[in-house]
Amino acid sequence: MADAVRFSRDIKFGSISYETQQFNSVIDHYLRNGLLIIPSSAPKIDACVEKVCRNLFLPRDHVKVFVQASAEIQASCLSVSKRDCIVQLSSGLVNLLSEDELSFVIGHEIGHHILEHSLSHSQEQSLELMMQKRAQEISVDRVGLYCCSDISHAMSAMIKTISGLNEKHLGLDIASFISQTKKLTRPDEGEDYQNTHPSLLVRCRALLWFFQPQMLASLSNGNFNFDFSEIN
């Protein structure tokens, strides 16, 4: 499924080997510095992880999720073996999002693992690598959408992430947010070529173009024959 929705500019790399010692040392670091998400420690977050793993046909025990105390809104994923990954979430992010929105973010992060995006990290920093990393974000947003199954949850997660505001202050008007692109004074300058992520404006617009209700249903039923070339 993930390869079926991969953005065309997200180039797939070769294979990589992992060291067991590295895996153990990384796990130990997170165990010392964060909360391991299991049913007894954080049942609602664990339920989100279970949902995402089920949608992606991943064994739950191959995905370790940790929450670390931070007011910053952050999430990351580290592939520590071919099968295992670690997802790190900040408490600021978890406290901001609903469970459905959190499913989008967790799916997005695990998308980096199943699409083997860590393979590109061995390259030297370059303009091409920055372009590749931005393309990867388009791919994993699609995986996140598949995991939360609702475009409104994906969009609200993005708007909350860029603003840091919750439902108390937000109208969550997606069209209004996207229309900010029309207010750019220098749209011809484009986005910073040194950024590893496209702006959330670009990512929201790209995900709306990608979204088709019948497509999500077909992917869930194992039909991966959609042609995304025009959207890409």
Side-chain angles (χ1 to χ4, degrees), residues 7-90:
F7 179 43
S8 58
R9 295 186 185 181
D10 175 7
I11 307 302
K12 189 173 183 178
F13 287 79
S15 59
I16 190 172
S17 59
Y18 300 88
E19 297 181 6
T20 303
Q21 185 177 0
Q22 176 193 14
F23 170 74
N24 291 335
S25 63
V26 171
I27 286 288
D28 286 352
H29 168 78
Y30 280 97
L31 286 170
R32 288 189 176 99
N33 297 283
L35 175 69
L36 175 65
I37 300 304
I38 55 177
S40 59
S41 68
K44 291 185 178 180
I45 302 174
D46 184 72
C48 293
V49 181
E50 286 278 1
K51 172 186 174 182
V52 170
C53 289
R54 186 169 59 251
N55 285 345
L56 295 176
F57 301 100
L58 290 176
R60 173 65 178 87
D61 59 347
H62 288 288
V63 179
K64 302 290 190 297
V65 179
F66 292 88
V67 174
Q68 294 179 311
S70 174
E72 295 187 14
I73 301 171
Q74 292 182 334
S76 62
C77 181
L78 177 65
S79 295
V80 290
S81 75
K82 180 73 174 178
R83 300 176 66 185
D84 299 277
C85 70
I86 297 172
V87 175
Q88 183 267 324
L89 306 170
S90 69

Side-chain angles (χ1 to χ4, degrees), residues 36-205:
L36 175 65
I37 300 304
I38 55 177
S40 59
S41 68
K44 291 185 178 180
I45 302 174
D46 184 72
C48 293
V49 181
E50 286 278 1
K51 172 186 174 182
V52 170
C53 289
R54 186 169 59 251
N55 285 345
L56 295 176
F57 301 100
L58 290 176
R60 173 65 178 87
D61 59 347
H62 288 288
V63 179
K64 302 290 190 297
V65 179
F66 292 88
V67 174
Q68 294 179 311
S70 174
E72 295 187 14
I73 301 171
Q74 292 182 334
S76 62
C77 181
L78 177 65
S79 295
V80 290
S81 75
K82 180 73 174 178
R83 300 176 66 185
D84 299 277
C85 70
I86 297 172
V87 175
Q88 183 267 324
L89 306 170
S90 69
S91 57
L93 176 70
V94 174
N95 290 331
L96 182 66
L97 303 181
S98 70
E99 286 137 58
D100 289 321
E101 293 161 350
L102 192 59
S103 294
F104 168 76
V105 172
I106 294 172
H108 169 109
E109 294 303 333
I110 295 177
H112 284 299
H113 173 63
I114 60 179
L115 287 170
E116 299 184 323
H117 286 163
S118 61
L119 301 183
S120 65
H121 294 174
S122 60
Q123 297 180 343
E124 295 182 1
Q125 297 294 316
S126 65
L127 175 61
E128 290 74 16
L129 180 58
M130 295 301 103
M131 294 171 63
Q132 168 69 8
K133 287 185 175 181
R134 290 194 295 274
Q136 290 174 352
E137 294 302 312
I138 302 299
S139 294
V140 295
D141 278 344
R142 295 174 176 185
V143 177
L145 172 60
Y146 173 76
C147 289
C148 74
S149 306
D150 192 316
I151 189 68
S152 64
H153 298 320
M155 293 293 105
S156 59
M158 289 187 178
I159 294 174
K160 286 183 177 180
T161 299
I162 196 173
S163 67
L165 299 175
N166 59 25
E167 292 90 346
K168 178 180 177 181
H169 301 288
L170 285 175
L172 292 175
D173 186 335
I174 297 170
S176 176
F177 175 60
I178 294 295
S179 72
Q180 289 181 196
T181 57
K182 299 177 181 178
K183 297 178 173 64
L184 293 171
T185 56
R186 295 295 302 275
D188 55 302
E189 291 184 353
E191 306 224 327
D192 189 343
Y193 68 91
Q194 294 182 324
N195 285 347
T196 59
H197 288 55
S199 70
L200 281 167
L201 272 175
V202 168
R203 288 171 55 189
C204 280
R205 179 71 271 180

Side-chain angles (χ1 to χ4, degrees), residues 213-227:
Q214 70 275 18
M215 175 268 296
L216 289 181
S218 294
L219 289 175
S220 298
N221 292 326
N223 176 18
F224 307 139
N225 297 319
F226 273 81
D227 181 7

